[in-house]
Amino acid sequence: GVCRLRGHKAPVTGVEFMQKNYLLSCSKDTLVKVWDIEQQFCLQTITLGQGGEAFAIAYCPQMRRVAVGAGDSLIRMYKLRDEDDNEDNKKVGDVLTPYGTLQRQSKQRVNGLELVSVGRAVVANDNKMREQQGTCLLFCHGPDKFVEIFRSRTQKELERKLKRRKKRVREKGKDETAVSTEVTAEDEFRALLPLRINTKVRSVCCDKSYTAAAAAEARVLIGTSSNSLQVYKIDLVKAQIDTSKVLSGKEHVMMEKCINLQGHRSGVRWACFSSDDEMILTTSSSQAKVWNTRSGSCIRTLDGTGYGLCGMFLPGNRHVLIGTKSGDLELYDLTAASLLEKLQAHKGTLWSLHPRPDGKGFVTGGGDKAVKLWEYKVKRSESGSASIGLSLAREMEMTDEVLSVCFSPNGKWLAVGLLDSTIKVFFEDSLKFYLSLYGHKLPVMCMDISSDSSLLVSGGADKDLKIWGLDFGDCHKSLFAHEGSVMSVRFCPNTHYCFTCGKDKRIKFWDCDKFEQVMVLSGHHAEVWSLSIAKQGTLLVSSSNDRSIRIWEQTDEMVFVHLEKRKELEEKLDASNENVGAAAPPGKLVGSGLDEPLDSAPVATGADSRSMVGAERLMEAMEVVKLEKQRWAEYHKAVEREKRGEEDGADDDGRGLKALFEAHAGHVKGAAIPEPAKNPVLAGKTSAEYVFTELQGISAAARTDALINLPFKYAGMLLKLCEEILEEKLNTEAVVQTVLFLAATRRDQITQSRELMECVTRLRNQIRRKVMGNRSR
């Protein structure tokens, strides 16, 4: 990067470039900052005050105006200082000056701002009005279904407004010379009729290249929450008509184009292949879609479905069956895209369904603690036409809610995953109990059985993947699979390889014979809900809460497990370093607007497992020393009070220090207060010796990285302890190296603290005496 600008204390919500290498930024810390990129310096800091957090910022270079949106119903306007302004009369660094506020209709926070210039407009600066090329349009939207529009007034409109203001003053019998002629944002901008749409607005962009006669029209692109893009043409003349004269409030708006993707409008909960792998069924909250596997195009859209949690193709691939959140089974004909039958299968949520291996029926499990086996039947209408239907064959009650059901490929067993974290296996023909698999700590979310019916894999909310043997029901291995709940697991046909997906946005490939992870597939941006593998085993489809459906194809590339593990570890390390850097508050910069120095600033680290363990050892040692010093400080304070005969002050639980000793050590009034018991962790060492031992225990190769990963709070404590170590005449060389390294890497933070500067000065004198003493020998 060119530079890194630090100064905000909370996430930055918006940035805008200005001329002369200036940069505008706003943040949730209620601050708006102006930066000089070349000098990497904060020129000005503006506090929003009661407006709260800043969520959006916009800049118009032609009009030299800046708009800031916050959490209230106001838009704060600022104007950029002119180059010809007298610098003597301006405050140094005062780039933006307040220009007033604009009142919004919505009471919600601002999500986005767009400030553009088209046509001709008037610019007001320091009581002077001059005409420039460009009518200023301000678009503002929040979490609502409309976009608010503001337009700058022309020069004639501004003059008429000032005349009316003076006229009202004269009518009141006052002197019109007292009327302020300064133009504010309320004078310059007027609100137009809002642009209302049917869904929530996510983003707004105005077409700056679109020009119309006298800037009477504008074209706006709107991104909506329904995953669509809509282009509107706005008649700015009609938008200025009074709202009471407009019948529907949309006469000034015309939609020119709407770009709708074929995908789902909400998270995709289920995806599965047809029997010939030519089609894919996906379900979401309100619709189901059937896709062509090769072209990726949508073949059928089934609107008005329930919240589909599971589904499948019926034999012949002409019908689909969907299980919904309300417990219904919905049977659709793909040829006519019509609903054939809807049954109330379960009284609770229908969590899972699975086809029988012989293709004669399927099994469902739901939140009503029931497992139901269904069969297909032929239904004939009054006209004599035949259609497929569903009939309940058998039913089985369970002890808890059923979250997953699965047939073995040989048709011998039926496995049921329950909310009580157990898996029950039954014989399919008689439904007699066969095995009970215990091991998951949280509910079993998914499971699958291998093609040879010898292994069962299960994933749960405890983030574990467990591999079971169906011969004796023993757990072969338990693997930590994902950072979140395991949502789906599928065996590859005719192998003991399986894929899993979870709420950590990842898909993982496992070898269930060697009990190791083979590779990780990354691509989704939200929780991955389901997986399905083609019958040939060459294609994998995944669905996610990011509304995307991804098809993965097997390639001929070689996969090396050790390289994949190293790659995953590097990604985790990079992510942890980014999180540490993002969480650490920035240090104080001159002109950044921060009143007080902060504790620490993010430092570039080369962390690995050894260095992180070394840093943790040092932090634990210093915490032990800190508590030990507090214990002895309380003891000495109690002794001093005993000598002076004063009353003990109350501590947090209402008792004094002396009362505390009396309760726990049997202290009698007037007797000597016993010394605190020795801390067994210190093993008879002093505080300095204990910390020095831990420091020496870290290898020289990992010591440097451990000191880098040490938070600044503990780095300061270590500097103070180094004084005690030098006084006790321990190994001088290791202490000197530690002090010099901390002083070099934490220089900016140390210089902000007077206490640490004095400590470093004393250490310098101590080290100099030690070195001179060794030289004289």
Side-chain angles (χ1 to χ4, degrees):
V2 177
C3 62
R4 185 175 183 179
L5 306 175
R6 301 178 182 176
H8 286 292
K9 304 176 186 177
V12 178
T13 54
V15 290
E16 283 282 345
F17 279 105
M18 296 170 58
Q19 65 269 27
K20 289 188 175 181
N21 293 319
Y22 286 173
L23 180 70
L24 288 170
S25 66
C26 63
S27 170
K28 288 186 177 182
D29 58 4
T30 73
L31 300 179
V32 177
K33 291 180 177 291
V34 184
W35 305 87
D36 188 331
I37 300 178
E38 289 185 353
Q39 302 296 328
Q40 300 184 24
F41 185 81
C42 180
L43 298 174
Q44 184 182 3
T45 299
I46 301 173
T47 304
L48 298 185
Q50 296 181 354
E53 302 173 343
F55 292 99
I57 191 169
Y59 169 66
C60 180
Q62 294 85 2
M63 301 293 295
R64 302 173 66 83
R65 297 288 181 268
V66 175
V68 179
D72 55 7
S73 60
L74 297 178
I75 300 176
R76 289 155 179 81
M77 300 297 297
Y78 300 89
K79 59 183 178 180
L80 187 64
R81 183 182 61 196
D82 286 341
E83 297 179 1
D84 55 354
D85 286 340
N86 187 3
E87 295 294 338
D88 296 335
N89 297 329
K90 295 288 182 180
K91 181 181 177 181
V92 177
D94 193 10
V95 180
L96 298 178
T97 56
Y99 190 51
T101 59
L102 299 178
Q103 182 67 43
R104 299 167 52 227
Q105 294 184 17
S106 175
K107 303 299 181 183
Q108 303 292 330
R109 70 178 180 89
V110 176
N111 280 351
L113 291 172
E114 178 79 0
L115 191 60
V116 297
S117 177
V118 294
R120 300 183 67 84
V122 64
V123 180
N125 280 297
D126 298 333
N127 306 333
K128 297 179 293 183
M129 293 184 295
R130 62 176 182 270
E131 196 170 356
Q132 280 188 355
Q133 196 71 21
T135 295
C136 193
L137 294 176
L138 174 61
F139 299 89
C140 172
H141 74 90
D144 306 297
K145 297 183 179 181
F146 61 88
V147 178
E148 298 183 54
I149 308 173
F150 298 86
R151 182 184 183 182
S152 61
R153 289 184 169 90
T154 63
Q155 183 177 2
K156 293 182 179 179
E157 290 175 338
L158 278 174
E159 291 175 352
R160 286 197 298 267
K161 186 174 181 66
L162 292 176
K163 288 181 180 179
R164 288 196 299 269
R165 184 183 297 172
K166 292 180 180 180
K167 183 179 178 180
R168 288 194 297 267
V169 171
R170 287 197 303 269
E171 290 175 353
K172 293 179 181 180
K174 298 180 181 179
D175 186 6
E176 66 178 35
T177 57
V179 178
S180 174
T181 59
E182 182 179 358
V183 179
T184 62
E186 295 88 341
D187 301 328
E188 185 178 11
F189 288 88
R190 62 175 301 177
L192 305 182
L193 292 176
L195 192 161
R196 300 184 183 275
I197 61 176
N198 297 325
T199 57
K200 291 184 179 181
V201 181
R202 287 287 184 253
S203 60
V204 176
C205 181
C206 182
D207 187 358
K208 302 179 181 64
S209 62
Y210 180 77
T211 58
E217 294 178 348
R219 181 182 288 146
V220 180
L221 174 65
I222 297 178
T224 67
S225 59
S226 63
N227 199 26
S228 65
L229 296 174
Q230 301 176 7
V231 180
Y232 289 90
K233 185 171 69 174
I234 306 173
D235 190 332
L236 300 177
V237 177
K238 291 183 179 180
Q240 296 178 175
I241 301 177
D242 185 72
T243 310
S244 61
K245 298 180 182 179
V246 182
L247 297 177
S248 65
K250 294 186 178 180
E251 283 79 357
H252 63 294
V253 175
M254 181 183 71
M255 181 187 291
E256 287 189 340
K257 189 179 296 184
C258 181
I259 304 174
N260 285 305
L261 295 179
Q262 298 178 346
H264 290 271
R265 299 296 182 265
S266 58
V268 186
R269 290 301 304 259
W270 182 261
C272 65
F273 281 101
S274 60
S275 60
D276 56 2
D277 299 336
E278 293 294 326
M279 294 183 290
I280 298 173
L281 170 67
T282 59
T283 64
S284 63
S285 61
S286 59
Q287 62 180 197
K289 290 180 177 288
V290 180
W291 307 81
N292 185 289
T293 305
R294 295 182 180 179
S295 63
S297 59
C298 182
I299 302 174
R300 288 286 185 274
T301 297
L302 308 176
D303 292 318
T305 65
Y307 197 121
L309 297 179
C310 52
M312 57 178 268
F313 283 91
L314 268 63
N317 299 325
R318 295 184 180 181
H319 303 83
V320 295
L321 186 66
I322 300 173
T324 66
K325 192 175 183 179
S326 58
D328 296 329
L329 277 175
E330 299 179 356
L331 179 62
Y332 286 88
D333 182 4
L334 292 182
T335 305
S338 60
L339 178 65
L340 295 180
E341 189 175 2
K342 183 176 181 179
L343 298 175
Q344 180 68 34
H346 293 270
K347 296 180 181 179
T349 303
L350 201 162
W351 289 110
S352 177
L353 61 83
H354 195 268
R356 285 177 55 177
D358 56 8
K360 296 181 179 180
F362 59 94
V363 62
T364 61
D368 56 355
K369 305 180 183 180
V371 176
K372 298 185 179 182
L373 286 86
W374 304 78
E375 293 181 349
Y376 306 123
K377 67 178 182 178
V378 178
K379 296 171 55 179
R380 295 192 178 274
S381 62
E382 296 178 356
S383 60
S385 60
S387 62
I388 191 170
L390 307 174
S391 65
L392 180 61
R394 291 178 291 175
E395 184 176 354
M396 181 170 52
E397 292 292 330
M398 306 302 294
T399 58
D400 211 332
E401 293 187 24
V402 180
L403 300 182
S404 179
V405 290
C406 180
F407 280 112
S408 62
N410 60 7
K412 185 178 181 181
W413 296 304
L414 170 63
V416 181
L418 301 177
L419 186 66
D420 60 4
S421 309
T422 62
I423 301 173
K424 307 289 185 183
V425 183
F426 302 88
F427 288 102
E428 190 275 335
D429 50 0
S430 62
L431 296 183
K432 289 186 178 179
F433 178 76
Y434 174 55
L435 290 173
S436 184
L437 309 179
Y438 296 92
H440 282 285
K441 300 181 181 69
L442 291 174
V444 180
M445 306 298 295
C446 55
M447 59 185 176
D448 195 19
I449 299 176
S450 61
S451 299
D452 58 2
S453 301
S454 62
L455 293 181
L456 182 147
V457 290
S458 61
D462 54 3
K463 311 175 186 179
D464 289 341
L465 175 70
K466 293 187 180 293
I467 305 171
W468 311 84
L470 287 179
D471 46 1
F472 300 106
D474 56 325
C475 181
H476 291 181
K477 191 69 174 179
S478 180
L479 303 170
F480 181 77
H482 292 270
E483 298 294 335
S485 301
V486 183
M487 301 307 299
S488 182
V489 57
R490 289 289 181 269
F491 266 113
C492 294
N494 304 317
T495 68
H496 283 178
Y497 297 110
C498 73
F499 285 92
T500 62
C501 66
K503 289 188 176 181
D504 59 354
K505 313 174 188 178
R506 293 186 173 189
I507 301 171
K508 296 188 177 183
F509 186 38
W510 304 86
D511 186 343
C512 295
D513 288 331
K514 296 182 179 179
F515 312 128
E516 65 179 2
Q517 177 183 309
V518 179
M519 64 182 303
V520 179
L521 303 177
S522 300
H524 285 290
H525 304 288
E527 300 90 343
V528 186
W529 293 117
S530 71
L531 291 173
S532 181
I533 300 178
K535 302 299 183 293
Q536 302 297 326
T538 57
L539 294 177
L540 170 73
V541 63
S542 59
S543 63
S544 170
N545 201 34
D546 61 4
R547 308 176 188 176
S548 69
I549 304 158
R550 295 181 181 267
I551 300 177
W552 311 81
E553 184 179 8
Q554 182 180 355
T555 64
D556 296 330
E557 296 182 17
M558 297 290 292
V559 176
F560 299 95
V561 177
H562 66 282
L563 294 180
E564 293 293 329
K565 289 182 179 179
R566 181 182 299 177
K567 180 180 177 181
E568 184 181 9
L569 288 174
E570 290 176 354
E571 290 177 355
K572 289 182 178 180
L573 186 59
D574 293 341
S576 63
N577 289 341
E578 289 177 2
N579 293 336
V580 170
K588 179 178 179 181
L589 297 178
V590 179
S592 64
L594 300 180
D595 297 330
E596 297 179 358
L598 300 175
D599 290 339
S600 62
V603 180
T605 62
D608 57 15
S609 59
R610 294 183 304 168
S611 62
M612 294 302 295
V613 171
E616 291 175 357
R617 287 179 56 185
L618 285 176
M619 288 189 287
E620 291 176 359
M622 285 185 280
E623 285 292 339
V624 171
V625 169
K626 180 181 176 181
L627 293 175
E628 185 68 12
K629 289 184 176 181
Q630 289 179 354
R631 291 176 58 216
W632 280 96
E634 291 176 357
Y635 166 73
H636 292 304
K637 187 185 293 183
V639 171
E640 290 295 327
R641 288 182 177 176
E642 182 75 16
K643 291 179 179 179
R644 294 196 304 266
E646 298 177 357
E647 294 293 332
D648 291 332
D651 52 17
D652 293 338
D653 58 356
R655 298 180 301 171
L657 292 169
K658 186 170 150 186
L660 191 63
F661 280 110
E662 291 176 354
H664 295 284
H667 175 66
V668 181
K669 187 174 181 180
I673 299 177
E675 292 185 355
K678 293 184 179 180
N679 192 339
V681 178
L682 296 180
K685 301 177 183 177
T686 64
S687 300
E689 291 174 345
Y690 178 69
V691 174
F692 180 73
T693 303
E694 293 296 326
L695 185 64
Q696 287 284 87
I698 305 173
S699 63
R703 189 181 303 164
T704 301
D705 288 338
L707 293 175
I708 290 177
N709 295 323
L710 204 63
F712 181 67
K713 171 186 174 182
Y714 292 97
M717 295 172 59
L718 184 57
L719 283 174
K720 296 175 183 177
L721 287 169
C722 285
E723 286 190 78
E724 301 180 15
I725 296 174
L726 289 174
E727 290 176 358
E728 296 188 11
K729 299 180 180 180
L730 298 175
N731 191 330
T732 307
E733 182 179 356
V735 178
V736 170
Q737 291 177 352
T738 301
V739 172
L740 293 179
F741 185 80
L742 290 176
T745 56
R746 310 297 180 119
R747 180 183 59 185
D748 294 338
Q749 294 95 335
I750 291 174
T751 54
Q752 299 293 333
S753 174
R754 177 178 297 179
E755 182 182 1
L756 290 180
M757 283 296 296
E758 295 175 353
C759 176
V760 171
T761 303
R762 293 192 299 269
L763 282 170
R764 182 189 62 184
N765 297 333
Q766 282 183 306
I767 293 172
R768 182 174 295 177
R769 289 195 299 269
K770 292 282 185 182
V771 172
M772 296 301 294
N774 292 336
R775 180 184 298 179
S776 62
R777 293 179 185 177

